[in-house]
């Protein structure tokens, strides 16, 4: 009985975690709905169809560590000693 209770508790908590974060489609629907404010009938229907079928923009690819090092190194030109060390540390950490 105790194992059953623990298992059901874990399942209910994991379901709450997954339900809390909206899916990409839900987010898209929310955005399109907000943008369609004021439109009615066929105009709204056509707008929603176009909006929901539009492809999402691809996120910019993340810089590799090597690319980040090159960029930070170029930006650190003219800095020396502790100033350069502090700059490089901040730049490479992404802050």
């Amino acid at each position: 009985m105790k194992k059953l209770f623990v298992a059901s508790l874990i399942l209910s908590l994991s379901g709450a975690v997954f339900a809390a974060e909206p899916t990409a489609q839900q987010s898209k629907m929310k955005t399109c709905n907000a943008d369609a404010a004021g439109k009615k009938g066929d105009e709204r229907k056509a707008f929603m169809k176009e909006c929901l079928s539009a492809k999402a923009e691809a996120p910019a690819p993340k810089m590799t560590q090597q690319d980040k090092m090159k960029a930070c190194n170029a930006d650190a030109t003219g800095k020396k000693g502790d100033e350069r060390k502090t700059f490089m540390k901040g730049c490479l950490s992404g802050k």
Side-chain angles (χ1 to χ4, degrees), residues 31-86:
T31 303
C32 291
N33 234 351
D35 293 345
K39 294 178 175 37
K40 295 185 190 266
D42 289 338
E43 181 187 11
R44 179 181 172 81
K45 191 175 184 180
F47 175 82
M48 290 297 285
K49 182 178 181 180
E50 180 69 30
C51 183
L52 292 173
S53 65
K55 300 284 184 200
E57 292 180 22
K62 290 187 176 182
M63 287 182 95
T64 64
Q65 188 65 24
Q66 187 175 10
D67 292 338
K68 197 185 276 190
M69 186 68 169
K70 285 180 186 177
C72 290
N73 207 17
D75 292 344
T77 305
K79 294 178 174 43
K80 294 184 186 253
D82 287 339
E83 180 187 13
R84 180 183 174 85
K85 188 176 183 180
T86 304

Side-chain angles (χ1 to χ4, degrees), residues 5-54:
F5 176 73
V6 171
S8 64
L9 181 63
I10 290 172
L11 285 174
S12 65
L13 290 176
S14 65
V17 169
F18 289 119
E21 190 172 321
T23 64
Q25 183 65 24
Q26 288 170 329
S27 298
K28 195 173 194 181
M29 184 68 161
K30 184 177 180 181
T31 303
C32 291
N33 234 351
D35 293 345
K39 294 178 175 37
K40 295 185 190 266
D42 289 338
E43 181 187 11
R44 179 181 172 81
K45 191 175 184 180
F47 175 82
M48 290 297 285
K49 182 178 181 180
E50 180 69 30
C51 183
L52 292 173
S53 65

